[in-house]
Amino acid sequence: MPSYAFTALALSAGLALAGCQSTSQTVQHKEDLLSAAGFTPQPANTAERIAAMKKLPPNKFVQQVKNSQIIYVYADPIVCQCVYFGNQAAYAQFRQMVFAQKLANEQQMTAVMNQSAFDFGPWGGPGPFMY
């Protein structure tokens, strides 16, 4: 198998495994990062809060201005039934954490691909028929 085909196969397997996470697991993981970055969850525990939360796009960031400060709002009507609030520093921290995690995932995928490289030694390498 040509090396590019093996790489594509390994990447497909990694993406398939990542796709095995349910939506709620993915959202829960994102919310764990939000909390770690400094966002504060507020429960939608009154009719007024529920109505306000429903006006926001679910599981997406919305930038708002309050008292001349930028506030990032993230609504989760499914997992926690809450709205997360954070300032610019919390949002920057969240983005950095997501970037670091993606980098770590890519490094892990590269390590897996390098670990399972095929040994062409006994065959003397791929022949011209494979291209």
Side-chain angles (χ1 to χ4, degrees), residues 26-46:
T26 302
V27 170
Q28 180 62 54
H29 176 70
K30 189 173 188 179
E31 291 177 5
D32 290 344
L33 290 177
L34 285 168
S35 293
F39 279 79
T40 303
Q42 295 292 319
N45 56 4
T46 67

Side-chain angles (χ1 to χ4, degrees), residues 70-128:
I70 296 174
I71 305 294
Y72 289 88
V73 181
Y74 179 91
D76 174 17
I78 306 295
V79 176
C80 75
Q81 298 175 354
C82 67
V83 176
Y84 285 84
F85 296 91
N87 59 18
Q88 288 179 301
Y91 183 72
Q93 179 66 24
F94 173 80
R95 302 269 305 173
Q96 178 60 35
M97 292 168 73
V98 168
F99 176 77
Q101 184 173 19
K102 285 182 180 180
L103 183 61
N105 289 346
E106 288 176 13
Q107 290 172 340
Q108 182 180 12
M109 179 63 74
T110 300
V112 168
M113 289 186 324
N114 289 339
Q115 230 175 23
S116 26
F118 182 72
D119 179 14
F120 285 102
W123 287 273

